[in-house]
Amino acid sequence: MDFAAVLIPPTLDAKQALRLRRFGLAALGYALAVVLVALAWGYEVLPAAAMLSAAAAVVALNLGLYLAFRSGFNRRFDDPSLTRFQILAAITLLMYLVYHMEAGRDIALFACFFVFLFGVFRLNARGFTVITLYTLAAYALVINLLMHLRPQAIHSVPAEWMSWLGLAGFLPIFTVIGGRSTPSGTGCARARCAFAA
């Protein structure tokens, strides 16, 4: 039996099949993230409860998205690829993990750039601006919650805010790239048509 044909039946609409294939890439990214989260737990950087709840959230999120694409429910939205939702969900999950980490939060934040890559050919500058502001607000909230609820987990408050400034400095690059990769931008509209559906 062809497993790929079961997950993406040949009778499926071409655009939906493309969305499901792209979703498969995102699901592989989540699988890698779960391995990294398990390693963080193994090195005692992350408590078991946070690891297990994050893994459960990943399974639930991916199952829900697969069902939305397979059933055609995603077509009810302005963005049928659900790119914005997927990025916001991934950032939210990442911030949950960052809050529970005992160390290495600055390294974990690099995952933001990987998550943002999925929007380069789909989101416009305004979409990236919203996601960037959400990410910065979420991490600022994490820092403040750590300062008040888990101060023992912060080794250096200035270092945490420097990590925030690093995000604030580099994430807007995706806004520029995203703005140039859409039909309203001045760049490669043809590339967007090839990647976005």
Side-chain angles (χ1 to χ4, degrees), residues 8 12-21 68-75 80:
I8 307 174
L12 199 63
D13 172 77
K15 284 189 176 182
Q16 285 293 91
L18 178 61
R19 290 173 188 134
L20 268 175
R21 280 193 293 276
F69 288 122
R70 184 70 186 266
S71 67
F73 181 76
N74 60 307
R75 292 177 172 176

Side-chain angles (χ1 to χ4, degrees), residues 106 109 139 143 156-169:
D106 52 346
L109 289 173
Y139 187 46
I143 295 171
S156 168
V157 173
E160 295 291 341
W161 286 110
M162 282 303 298
S163 295
W164 186 92
L165 286 172
L167 281 179

